[in-house]
CSV table of all heavy atoms in Angstrom, one decimal:
chain,number,residue,atom,x,y,z
B,51,HIS,N,79.9,60.3,122.8
B,51,HIS,CA,79.9,60.5,121.3
B,51,HIS,C,81.3,60.3,120.8
B,51,HIS,O,81.6,59.6,119.8
B,51,HIS,CB,79.4,61.9,121.0
B,51,HIS,CG,79.5,62.2,119.5
B,51,HIS,ND1,78.7,61.7,118.5
B,51,HIS,CD2,80.4,63.0,118.8
B,51,HIS,CE1,79.1,62.1,117.4
B,51,HIS,NE2,80.1,62.9,117.5
B,52,LEU,N,82.3,61.0,121.5
B,52,LEU,CA,83.7,60.9,121.0
B,52,LEU,C,84.2,59.4,121.0
B,52,LEU,O,84.8,59.0,120.1
B,52,LEU,CB,84.6,61.7,121.9
B,52,LEU,CG,86.1,61.7,121.6
B,52,LEU,CD1,86.3,62.3,120.2
B,52,LEU,CD2,86.8,62.5,122.7
B,53,ILE,N,83.9,58.7,122.1
B,53,ILE,CA,84.3,57.3,122.2
B,53,ILE,C,83.7,56.5,121.1
B,53,ILE,O,84.4,55.7,120.4
B,53,ILE,CB,83.9,56.7,123.6
B,53,ILE,CG1,84.8,57.3,124.7
B,53,ILE,CG2,83.9,55.2,123.6
B,53,ILE,CD1,84.4,57.0,126.1
B,54,ASN,N,82.4,56.7,120.8
B,54,ASN,CA,81.7,55.9,119.7
B,54,ASN,C,82.3,56.3,118.4
B,54,ASN,O,82.5,55.4,117.5
B,54,ASN,CB,80.2,56.2,119.7
B,54,ASN,CG,79.5,55.5,120.9
B,54,ASN,OD1,80.0,54.5,121.4
B,54,ASN,ND2,78.4,56.1,121.3
B,55,TYR,N,82.6,57.6,118.2
B,55,TYR,CA,83.2,58.0,116.9
B,55,TYR,C,84.6,57.4,116.7
B,55,TYR,O,84.8,56.8,115.6
B,55,TYR,CB,83.3,59.5,116.9
B,55,TYR,CG,83.5,60.0,115.5
B,55,TYR,CD1,82.4,60.5,114.7
B,55,TYR,CD2,84.8,60.0,114.9
B,55,TYR,CE1,82.6,61.0,113.4
B,55,TYR,CE2,85.0,60.5,113.6
B,55,TYR,CZ,83.9,60.9,112.9
B,55,TYR,OH,84.1,61.4,111.6
B,56,ILE,N,85.4,57.4,117.7
B,56,ILE,CA,86.7,56.8,117.6
B,56,ILE,C,86.6,55.3,117.3
B,56,ILE,O,87.4,54.8,116.5
B,56,ILE,CB,87.6,57.1,118.8
B,56,ILE,CG1,87.8,58.6,119.0
B,56,ILE,CG2,89.0,56.4,118.7
B,56,ILE,CD1,88.6,59.0,120.3
B,57,LYS,N,85.7,54.7,118.0
B,57,LYS,CA,85.5,53.2,117.9
B,57,LYS,C,85.1,52.9,116.4
B,57,LYS,O,85.6,52.0,115.8
B,57,LYS,CB,84.5,52.8,118.9
B,57,LYS,CG,84.6,51.3,119.2
B,57,LYS,CD,83.5,50.9,120.3
B,57,LYS,CE,84.0,51.2,121.7
B,57,LYS,NZ,83.0,50.8,122.7
B,58,SER,N,84.2,53.7,115.9
B,58,SER,CA,83.6,53.4,114.6
B,58,SER,C,84.5,53.9,113.4
B,58,SER,O,84.6,53.2,112.4
B,58,SER,CB,82.2,54.1,114.4
B,58,SER,OG,81.4,53.8,115.5
B,59,TYR,N,85.2,55.0,113.6
B,59,TYR,CA,86.0,55.5,112.5
B,59,TYR,C,87.4,55.9,113.0
B,59,TYR,O,87.7,57.1,113.0
B,59,TYR,CB,85.3,56.8,111.9
B,59,TYR,CG,83.8,56.6,111.6
B,59,TYR,CD1,82.9,57.2,112.5
B,59,TYR,CD2,83.4,55.9,110.5
B,59,TYR,CE1,81.5,57.0,112.3
B,59,TYR,CE2,82.0,55.8,110.2
B,59,TYR,CZ,81.1,56.4,111.1
B,59,TYR,OH,79.8,56.2,110.9
B,60,PRO,N,88.2,55.0,113.4
B,60,PRO,CA,89.4,55.3,114.1
B,60,PRO,C,90.3,56.2,113.2
B,60,PRO,O,91.0,57.1,113.6
B,60,PRO,CB,90.1,54.0,114.4
B,60,PRO,CG,89.3,53.0,113.6
B,60,PRO,CD,88.0,53.5,113.4
B,61,GLN,N,90.3,55.9,111.9
B,61,GLN,CA,91.3,56.6,111.0
B,61,GLN,C,90.8,58.0,110.8
B,61,GLN,O,91.6,58.9,110.8
B,61,GLN,CB,91.3,55.8,109.7
B,61,GLN,CG,92.5,56.3,108.8
B,61,GLN,CD,92.7,55.4,107.6
B,61,GLN,OE1,92.1,54.3,107.5
B,61,GLN,NE2,93.4,55.9,106.6
B,62,LYS,N,89.5,58.2,110.5
B,62,LYS,CA,88.9,59.5,110.3
B,62,LYS,C,89.0,60.3,111.6
B,62,LYS,O,89.3,61.5,111.5
B,62,LYS,CB,87.5,59.3,109.9
B,62,LYS,CG,87.0,60.4,109.0
B,62,LYS,CD,85.6,60.0,108.4
B,62,LYS,CE,84.8,61.3,108.2
B,62,LYS,NZ,83.4,61.0,108.0
B,63,ALA,N,88.9,59.7,112.7
B,63,ALA,CA,88.9,60.4,114.0
B,63,ALA,C,90.2,61.1,114.3
B,63,ALA,O,90.3,62.1,115.0
B,63,ALA,CB,88.5,59.5,115.2
B,64,VAL,N,91.3,60.5,113.8
B,64,VAL,CA,92.6,61.1,114.0
B,64,VAL,C,93.3,61.5,112.7
B,64,VAL,O,94.5,61.6,112.7
B,64,VAL,CB,93.5,60.1,114.9
B,64,VAL,CG1,92.9,59.9,116.2
B,64,VAL,CG2,93.7,58.8,114.1
B,65,GLY,N,92.5,61.7,111.7
B,65,GLY,CA,93.1,62.2,110.4
B,65,GLY,C,93.3,63.7,110.3
B,65,GLY,O,92.8,64.4,111.1
B,66,TYR,N,94.1,64.1,109.3
B,66,TYR,CA,94.3,65.5,109.1
B,66,TYR,C,93.0,66.3,108.8
B,66,TYR,O,92.1,65.8,108.1
B,66,TYR,CB,95.2,65.7,107.8
B,66,TYR,CG,96.6,65.7,108.0
B,66,TYR,CD1,97.4,64.7,107.3
B,66,TYR,CD2,97.3,66.6,108.8
B,66,TYR,CE1,98.8,64.7,107.5
B,66,TYR,CE2,98.7,66.6,109.0
B,66,TYR,CZ,99.4,65.6,108.3
B,66,TYR,OH,100.8,65.6,108.5
B,67,GLY,N,93.0,67.5,109.2
B,67,GLY,CA,91.9,68.4,108.9
B,67,GLY,C,92.3,69.6,108.2
B,67,GLY,O,93.6,69.9,108.1
B,68,ALA,N,91.4,70.5,107.8
B,68,ALA,CA,91.7,71.7,107.1
B,68,ALA,C,92.3,72.7,108.2
B,68,ALA,O,92.0,72.6,109.3
B,68,ALA,CB,90.5,72.3,106.5
B,69,THR,N,93.1,73.7,107.7
B,69,THR,CA,93.7,74.7,108.6
B,69,THR,C,92.7,75.5,109.3
B,69,THR,O,92.8,75.8,110.5
B,69,THR,CB,94.7,75.6,107.8
B,69,THR,OG1,95.7,74.8,107.2
B,69,THR,CG2,95.4,76.6,108.7
B,70,ARG,N,91.6,75.9,108.6
B,70,ARG,CA,90.5,76.7,109.3
B,70,ARG,C,89.6,75.8,110.1
B,70,ARG,O,88.8,76.4,110.8
B,70,ARG,CB,89.7,77.3,108.2
B,70,ARG,CG,90.3,78.5,107.6
B,70,ARG,CD,89.4,79.4,106.8
B,70,ARG,NE,90.1,80.4,106.0
B,70,ARG,CZ,89.6,81.5,105.5
B,70,ARG,NH1,88.3,81.7,105.7
B,70,ARG,NH2,90.4,82.3,104.9
B,71,GLY,N,89.8,74.5,110.1
B,71,GLY,CA,88.9,73.7,110.9
B,71,GLY,C,87.7,73.2,110.1
B,71,GLY,O,87.5,73.6,108.9
B,72,MET,N,87.0,72.3,110.7
B,72,MET,CA,85.9,71.6,110.0
B,72,MET,C,84.7,72.6,109.7
B,72,MET,O,84.3,73.3,110.6
B,72,MET,CB,85.3,70.5,110.8
B,72,MET,CG,86.3,69.3,111.0
B,72,MET,SD,85.5,68.0,112.0
B,72,MET,CE,86.9,66.9,112.3
B,73,ILE,N,84.2,72.6,108.5
B,73,ILE,CA,83.1,73.5,108.2
B,73,ILE,C,81.9,73.2,109.0
B,73,ILE,O,81.2,74.2,109.4
B,73,ILE,CB,82.9,73.6,106.6
B,73,ILE,CG1,81.9,74.7,106.3
B,73,ILE,CG2,82.4,72.2,106.1
B,73,ILE,CD1,82.4,76.1,106.5
B,74,GLU,N,81.6,72.0,109.3
B,74,GLU,CA,80.4,71.7,110.1
B,74,GLU,C,80.5,72.4,111.5
B,74,GLU,O,79.5,72.9,112.0
B,74,GLU,CB,80.3,70.2,110.4
B,74,GLU,CG,80.3,69.3,109.1
B,74,GLU,CD,81.7,68.8,108.7
B,74,GLU,OE1,82.6,69.7,108.5
B,74,GLU,OE2,81.9,67.6,108.7
B,75,LEU,N,81.7,72.3,112.1
B,75,LEU,CA,81.9,72.9,113.4
B,75,LEU,C,81.7,74.5,113.3
B,75,LEU,O,81.1,75.1,114.1
B,75,LEU,CB,83.2,72.6,114.0
B,75,LEU,CG,83.6,73.1,115.3
B,75,LEU,CD1,82.5,72.8,116.4
B,75,LEU,CD2,84.9,72.7,115.8
B,76,ARG,N,82.3,75.0,112.2
B,76,ARG,CA,82.2,76.5,112.0
B,76,ARG,C,80.8,76.9,111.8
B,76,ARG,O,80.4,78.0,112.3
B,76,ARG,CB,83.2,76.9,110.9
B,76,ARG,CG,84.6,77.0,111.3
B,76,ARG,CD,85.6,76.5,110.3
B,76,ARG,NE,85.6,77.4,109.1
B,76,ARG,CZ,86.0,77.0,107.9
B,76,ARG,NH1,86.3,75.7,107.6
B,76,ARG,NH2,86.0,77.8,106.9
B,77,GLU,N,80.0,76.1,111.1
B,77,GLU,CA,78.6,76.4,110.9
B,77,GLU,C,77.9,76.4,112.3
B,77,GLU,O,77.0,77.3,112.5
B,77,GLU,CB,78.0,75.5,109.9
B,77,GLU,CG,78.3,75.8,108.5
B,77,GLU,CD,78.0,74.7,107.5
B,77,GLU,OE1,77.6,73.6,107.9
B,77,GLU,OE2,78.3,74.9,106.3
B,78,LEU,N,78.2,75.4,113.1
B,78,LEU,CA,77.5,75.4,114.4
B,78,LEU,C,77.9,76.5,115.3
B,78,LEU,O,77.1,77.1,116.1
B,78,LEU,CB,77.8,74.0,115.1
B,78,LEU,CG,77.1,72.8,114.5
B,78,LEU,CD1,77.8,71.5,115.0
B,78,LEU,CD2,75.6,72.8,114.9
B,79,ILE,N,79.2,76.9,115.2
B,79,ILE,CA,79.7,78.1,115.9
B,79,ILE,C,78.9,79.4,115.5
B,79,ILE,O,78.5,80.2,116.3
B,79,ILE,CB,81.2,78.3,115.8
B,79,ILE,CG1,81.9,77.2,116.5
B,79,ILE,CG2,81.6,79.7,116.2
B,79,ILE,CD1,83.4,77.0,116.2
B,80,ALA,N,78.7,79.5,114.2
B,80,ALA,CA,78.0,80.7,113.7
B,80,ALA,C,76.6,80.7,114.3
B,80,ALA,O,76.1,81.8,114.7
B,80,ALA,CB,78.0,80.7,112.2
B,81,GLU,N,75.9,79.6,114.3
B,81,GLU,CA,74.6,79.5,114.9
B,81,GLU,C,74.6,79.8,116.3
B,81,GLU,O,73.7,80.5,116.8
B,81,GLU,CB,74.0,78.1,114.7
B,81,GLU,CG,73.5,77.7,113.3
B,81,GLU,CD,73.1,76.2,113.3
B,81,GLU,OE1,72.7,75.6,114.3
B,81,GLU,OE2,73.3,75.7,112.2
B,82,ASP,N,75.6,79.4,117.0
B,82,ASP,CA,75.7,79.6,118.5
B,82,ASP,C,75.9,81.0,118.8
B,82,ASP,O,75.3,81.6,119.7
B,82,ASP,CB,76.9,78.7,119.0
B,82,ASP,CG,77.0,78.6,120.5
B,82,ASP,OD1,76.0,78.0,121.0
B,82,ASP,OD2,77.9,79.2,121.1
B,83,LEU,N,76.8,81.7,118.0
B,83,LEU,CA,77.1,83.1,118.3
B,83,LEU,C,75.8,84.0,117.9
B,83,LEU,O,75.6,84.9,118.6
B,83,LEU,CB,78.3,83.6,117.4
B,83,LEU,CG,79.6,83.0,117.9
B,83,LEU,CD1,80.7,83.3,116.9
B,83,LEU,CD2,80.0,83.5,119.3
B,84,LYS,N,75.1,83.5,116.9
B,84,LYS,CA,73.9,84.2,116.6
B,84,LYS,C,72.9,84.1,117.7
B,84,LYS,O,72.2,85.1,118.1
B,84,LYS,CB,73.3,83.6,115.3
B,84,LYS,CG,72.0,84.1,114.8
B,84,LYS,CD,72.1,85.5,114.2
B,84,LYS,CE,70.8,86.1,113.9
B,84,LYS,NZ,70.9,87.5,113.6
B,85,LYS,N,72.8,82.9,118.2
B,85,LYS,CA,71.8,82.6,119.3
B,85,LYS,C,72.1,83.4,120.6
B,85,LYS,O,71.2,84.0,121.2
B,85,LYS,CB,71.8,81.1,119.6
B,85,LYS,CG,70.9,80.7,120.7
B,85,LYS,CD,70.9,79.2,120.8
B,85,LYS,CE,70.8,78.8,122.3
B,85,LYS,NZ,71.0,77.4,122.5
B,86,TYR,N,73.4,83.4,121.0
B,86,TYR,CA,73.7,84.0,122.2
B,86,TYR,C,74.0,85.5,122.2
B,86,TYR,O,73.7,86.3,123.1
B,86,TYR,CB,75.0,83.4,122.8
B,86,TYR,CG,74.7,82.1,123.6
B,86,TYR,CD1,74.8,80.9,123.0
B,86,TYR,CD2,74.3,82.2,124.9
B,86,TYR,CE1,74.5,79.7,123.6
B,86,TYR,CE2,74.1,81.0,125.6
B,86,TYR,CZ,74.1,79.8,125.0
B,86,TYR,OH,73.8,78.7,125.7
B,87,TRP,N,74.6,86.0,121.0
B,87,TRP,CA,75.0,87.4,121.0
B,87,TRP,C,74.3,88.2,119.9
B,87,TRP,O,74.6,89.3,119.7
B,87,TRP,CB,76.5,87.5,120.9
B,87,TRP,CG,77.2,86.6,121.9
B,87,TRP,CD1,77.8,85.4,121.6
B,87,TRP,CD2,77.3,86.8,123.3
B,87,TRP,NE1,78.3,84.8,122.7
B,87,TRP,CE2,78.0,85.7,123.8
B,87,TRP,CE3,76.9,87.8,124.2
B,87,TRP,CZ2,78.3,85.5,125.1
B,87,TRP,CZ3,77.3,87.7,125.5
B,87,TRP,CH2,77.9,86.5,126.0
B,88,ASN,N,73.5,87.4,119.1
B,88,ASN,CA,72.7,88.1,118.0
B,88,ASN,C,73.6,88.8,117.0
B,88,ASN,O,73.3,89.8,116.5
B,88,ASN,CB,71.7,89.1,118.6
B,88,ASN,CG,70.6,89.4,117.6
B,88,ASN,OD1,70.4,88.5,116.7
B,88,ASN,ND2,70.0,90.6,117.6
B,89,VAL,N,74.8,88.1,116.7
B,89,VAL,CA,75.7,88.6,115.7
B,89,VAL,C,75.8,87.5,114.7
B,89,VAL,O,76.0,86.4,115.0
B,89,VAL,CB,77.0,89.0,116.3
B,89,VAL,CG1,78.0,89.5,115.2
B,89,VAL,CG2,76.8,90.1,117.4
B,90,SER,N,75.8,87.9,113.4
B,90,SER,CA,75.9,86.9,112.3
B,90,SER,C,77.3,86.9,111.7
B,90,SER,O,77.8,87.9,111.4
B,90,SER,CB,74.9,87.2,111.2
B,90,SER,OG,73.6,87.2,111.6
B,91,TYR,N,77.9,85.7,111.7
B,91,TYR,CA,79.2,85.5,111.1
B,91,TYR,C,79.1,84.5,110.0
B,91,TYR,O,78.4,83.5,110.1
B,91,TYR,CB,80.2,85.0,112.1
B,91,TYR,CG,80.5,85.9,113.3
B,91,TYR,CD1,79.8,85.8,114.4
B,91,TYR,CD2,81.5,86.8,113.2
B,91,TYR,CE1,80.0,86.6,115.5
B,91,TYR,CE2,81.8,87.7,114.2
B,91,TYR,CZ,81.0,87.6,115.4
B,91,TYR,OH,81.3,88.4,116.5
B,92,ASP,N,79.9,84.8,108.9
B,92,ASP,CA,80.0,83.8,107.8
B,92,ASP,C,80.9,82.7,108.2
B,92,ASP,O,82.1,83.0,108.4
B,92,ASP,CB,80.4,84.5,106.5
B,92,ASP,CG,80.6,83.6,105.4
B,92,ASP,OD1,80.6,82.4,105.6
B,92,ASP,OD2,80.8,84.1,104.2
B,93,PRO,N,80.4,81.5,108.3
B,93,PRO,CA,81.3,80.4,108.8
B,93,PRO,C,82.5,80.1,107.9
B,93,PRO,O,83.5,79.6,108.4
B,93,PRO,CB,80.4,79.2,109.0
B,93,PRO,CG,79.2,79.5,108.2
B,93,PRO,CD,79.0,81.0,108.1
B,94,LYS,N,82.4,80.4,106.6
B,94,LYS,CA,83.5,80.2,105.7
B,94,LYS,C,84.5,81.2,105.8
B,94,LYS,O,85.7,80.9,105.8
B,94,LYS,CB,82.9,80.2,104.3
B,94,LYS,CG,82.4,78.8,103.8
B,94,LYS,CD,82.5,78.7,102.3
B,94,LYS,CE,82.0,77.3,101.9
B,94,LYS,NZ,81.1,77.3,100.8
B,95,GLU,N,84.1,82.5,105.9
B,95,GLU,CA,85.1,83.6,105.8
B,95,GLU,C,85.5,84.3,107.1
B,95,GLU,O,86.5,85.0,107.1
B,95,GLU,CB,84.4,84.7,104.9
B,95,GLU,CG,84.0,84.2,103.5
B,95,GLU,CD,85.2,84.0,102.6
B,95,GLU,OE1,86.2,84.7,102.7
B,95,GLU,OE2,85.1,83.0,101.8
B,96,GLU,N,84.6,84.1,108.1
B,96,GLU,CA,84.8,85.0,109.3
B,96,GLU,C,85.1,84.2,110.6
B,96,GLU,O,85.2,84.7,111.6
B,96,GLU,CB,83.6,85.9,109.5
B,96,GLU,CG,83.4,86.9,108.3
B,96,GLU,CD,82.2,87.7,108.5
B,96,GLU,OE1,81.1,87.2,108.7
B,96,GLU,OE2,82.4,89.0,108.5
B,97,ILE,N,85.2,82.8,110.4
B,97,ILE,CA,85.4,82.0,111.6
B,97,ILE,C,86.6,81.0,111.3
B,97,ILE,O,86.6,80.4,110.3
B,97,ILE,CB,84.2,81.2,112.0
B,97,ILE,CG1,83.0,82.2,112.4
B,97,ILE,CG2,84.5,80.2,113.2
B,97,ILE,CD1,81.7,81.5,112.7
B,98,MET,N,87.5,80.9,112.2
B,98,MET,CA,88.6,79.9,112.1
B,98,MET,C,88.8,79.2,113.4
B,98,MET,O,88.8,79.8,114.5
B,98,MET,CB,89.9,80.6,111.6
B,98,MET,CG,91.0,79.6,111.5
B,98,MET,SD,92.5,80.2,110.6
B,98,MET,CE,93.3,81.2,111.8
B,99,ILE,N,88.9,77.9,113.3
B,99,ILE,CA,89.2,77.1,114.5
B,99,ILE,C,90.7,77.3,114.8
B,99,ILE,O,91.5,77.2,113.9
B,99,ILE,CB,88.9,75.6,114.3
B,99,ILE,CG1,87.5,75.4,113.7
B,99,ILE,CG2,89.0,74.8,115.6
B,99,ILE,CD1,86.3,75.8,114.6
B,100,VAL,N,91.0,77.4,116.1
B,100,VAL,CA,92.4,77.5,116.5
B,100,VAL,C,92.8,76.6,117.6
B,100,VAL,O,91.9,76.0,118.2
B,100,VAL,CB,92.8,79.0,116.9
B,100,VAL,CG1,92.7,79.9,115.7
B,100,VAL,CG2,91.9,79.5,118.0
B,101,ASN,N,94.1,76.4,117.8
B,101,ASN,CA,94.5,75.5,118.9
B,101,ASN,C,94.5,76.2,120.2
B,101,ASN,O,95.5,76.4,120.9
B,101,ASN,CB,95.9,75.0,118.5
B,101,ASN,CG,96.0,74.2,117.2
B,101,ASN,OD1,95.2,74.4,116.4
B,101,ASN,ND2,97.0,73.3,117.1
Side-chain angles (χ1 to χ4, degrees):
Chain B
H51 173 76
L52 179 63
I53 287 173
N54 287 334
Y55 195 98
I56 297 176
K57 205 179 277 180
S58 309
Y59 314 101
Q61 192 174 347
K62 212 170 148 193
V64 298
Y66 272 120
T69 301
R70 285 193 188 200
M72 294 181 186
I73 186 67
E74 306 90 304
L75 179 56
R76 281 143 65 206
E77 283 166 356
L78 287 164
I79 287 168
E81 284 173 28
D82 192 67
L83 291 171
K84 176 75 187 166
K85 175 177 146 190
Y86 277 93
W87 314 101
N88 199 27
V89 179
S90 300
Y91 295 93
D92 177 347
K94 273 205 179 136
E95 303 287 327
E96 297 178 306
I97 297 175
M98 179 165 79
I99 312 292
V100 292
N101 299 25

